Every structure is written in structure tokens, then in C-alpha cells.
Amino acid sequence: MQLPRPVGREAASKKYDILSALMAFALARDKIVQRQVLRVMALITTRYNWQRDELSMGQGEIARLWSVDERTVKREMAKLRASGWLVLKRQGARGRVSTYGLDLARMLADTRPAWPNIGEDFITRLTPEEGRGAAPSNVVPLRAPPSPVADGTIWFAAQARLHSEEPALYGAWFHPLAEVGAEAGCLTLAAPTRFHATYVEQNLMERLRAAVRAVDPAIARVMIVS
């Protein structure tokens, strides 16, 4: 789904549509997802620049907004990156916070099952004309595996190795993982879902650990959270 930025004469209604989709999606899910989506909506409504697609906010500021500690912020932001909703545009450095973008098309695709709870008019409004009434197809279009996003972390270097070894496998299972932190010889990664985390742990952990240790031998353990 190609989604134009919500700017111009209809910007306000487009923004409300996106927030409505998030709200309906959250209300149809469990408390954990509800809290996560509420946090995303708080970031959008307080700090997100719709026109420039930029969210620049320090972890301390986010912690105050969410009423949590900074460790929770770091973990939750990593999960949002793993889900594809949050996209790192510029890595933070000394005296400068990280800048993120939002994949609004991904948000709408993920929340689509909840659209009927809002109404048929909402579905019609958010469905491109060329997609209405089209016959269903079981053909999945092929997409080139995504490349790692350079951010200067241990995980980026390991991702680059995994991508060069087997791009399709990387795109399906390793690219969605996001680094939470590396402390005391343990690299912690966030997966978008519990199933994703379990699959990687049970089937791909040796390959993952080898790639990480190849770029940083000091890492003795890799842990995946969801």
C-alpha cells in the first residue's frame, strides 16, 4: 500500500483516520498491545512532525511522557522498530537524539483487521479505488530482501554478515529484529512477535550467534525478547 504523506487540504482527516485505525486496533487486542499502541499514539500526537516524517525525542522525554523508566523506553522503542512501525532515520550521537520516521503504510496494513469495527465508510475511504472489488489472488508478489540500516551498532554489523550470506533468510527472520542493548557480554534483540522470537531461538540461534561473535567476540550470549 502506497500512502501519501497526510499534508495539504485533507491532512487533518487523514491524520484522524490513521489515529482511528490505531485506536480500533488497540481496543480489539489485549492489554499489552493496547498499552504499546497508546504509547505510539502519545508520540504521534505530541512530537511527530507529519510533514517531515520525523520524530526527534530523547529517551528521558519519552520516559516522562510514558511514565516509565528509560530502560523500558529503550526496550519498547526496539520493539516498535522490530514491528516496522518505527524507522530509524538518524542514529543519535553525543548531544543529539535519534530521529525516527513512521511507516504509516505498515501501520494501516497491520491495523486493517480492525477497520470493520469503525465502519464501511472508513474502509472505503482508506482503500485505493484500484483495489476495490478486485478479485482475490493467492499470488504473493516477490520483493527484494531489505538491506540492513546502518546505525553503528553491533547488530548492524552482524546483520550485514547475515544479509550477505543468505538475503532471503535475513529478510524473513533477521531484519525484523532490533537491538535493545549490549551489556555484560549479552546482546539483547527485540522481535515483533512471540512466535518470531521463538522461531529464531529454536531454529536460527546458532547462525545468529556466530554472526554476532564474528563482529564482536566479547558477546557471549544473545537474548531475544518479544
Side-chain angles (χ1 to χ4, degrees):
M1 179 190 303
Q2 295 295 322
L3 183 70
R5 307 308 307 173
V7 296
R9 295 178 58 185
E10 299 181 356
S13 62
K14 292 178 181 177
K15 293 173 185 177
Y16 277 119
D17 283 342
I18 292 168
L19 293 173
S20 296
L22 290 171
M23 174 187 63
F25 174 74
L27 291 173
R29 303 296 294 274
D30 59 34
K31 292 182 179 180
I32 295 176
V33 175
Q34 289 176 3
R35 181 171 57 191
Q36 186 178 53
V37 176
L38 179 61
R39 287 170 174 169
V40 172
M41 294 176 71
L43 294 176
I44 292 175
T45 56
T46 60
R47 288 292 189 272
Y48 181 57
N49 185 316
W50 293 90
Q51 188 166 11
R52 296 171 58 184
D53 181 30
E54 287 188 354
L55 172 66
S56 297
M57 195 173 181
Q59 291 185 0
E61 293 180 282
I62 298 175
R64 285 196 300 273
L65 177 63
W66 289 354
S67 297
V68 298
D69 57 35
E70 291 192 26
R71 289 181 65 87
T72 299
V73 170
K74 192 172 185 179
R75 183 175 62 251
E76 290 299 300
M77 294 293 276
K79 288 182 181 180
L80 290 172
R81 287 170 56 192
S83 72
W85 286 17
L86 200 64
V87 180
L88 180 65
K89 298 179 72 173
R90 288 189 295 276
Q91 179 67 32
R94 186 181 300 274
R96 186 184 67 190
V97 301
S98 296
T99 300
Y100 297 92
L102 297 181
D103 190 337
L104 300 178
R106 177 66 178 269
M107 288 183 178
L108 289 178
D110 289 348
T111 59
R112 192 178 185 115
W115 291 5
N117 298 345
I118 302 176
E120 289 297 326
D121 60 325
F122 184 85
I123 297 174
T124 301
R125 189 163 62 250
L126 266 68
T127 302
E129 291 186 8
E130 60 271 19
R132 299 173 193 167
S137 172
N138 58 0
V139 178
V140 179
L142 297 176
R143 295 186 301 171
S147 299
V149 178
D151 57 10
T153 62
I154 296 172
W155 178 228
F156 162 70
Q159 281 183 306
R161 291 182 65 90
L162 292 165
H163 181 269
S164 65
E165 292 171 357
E166 196 165 345
L169 183 68
Y170 164 80
W173 296 105
F174 296 127
H175 181 75
L177 301 176
E179 181 174 331
V180 176
E183 298 178 356
C186 177
L187 175 66
T188 303
L189 304 173
T193 65
R194 184 173 300 177
F195 169 79
H196 196 111
T198 300
Y199 184 90
V200 174
E201 288 173 345
Q202 294 180 352
N203 300 279
L204 302 171
M205 184 54 78
E206 287 303 318
R207 183 190 291 258
L208 174 58
R209 189 181 296 114
V212 171
R213 287 183 58 79
V215 299
D216 190 342
I219 300 297
R221 190 162 65 97
V222 178
M223 182 171 65
I224 301 178
V225 298
S226 58

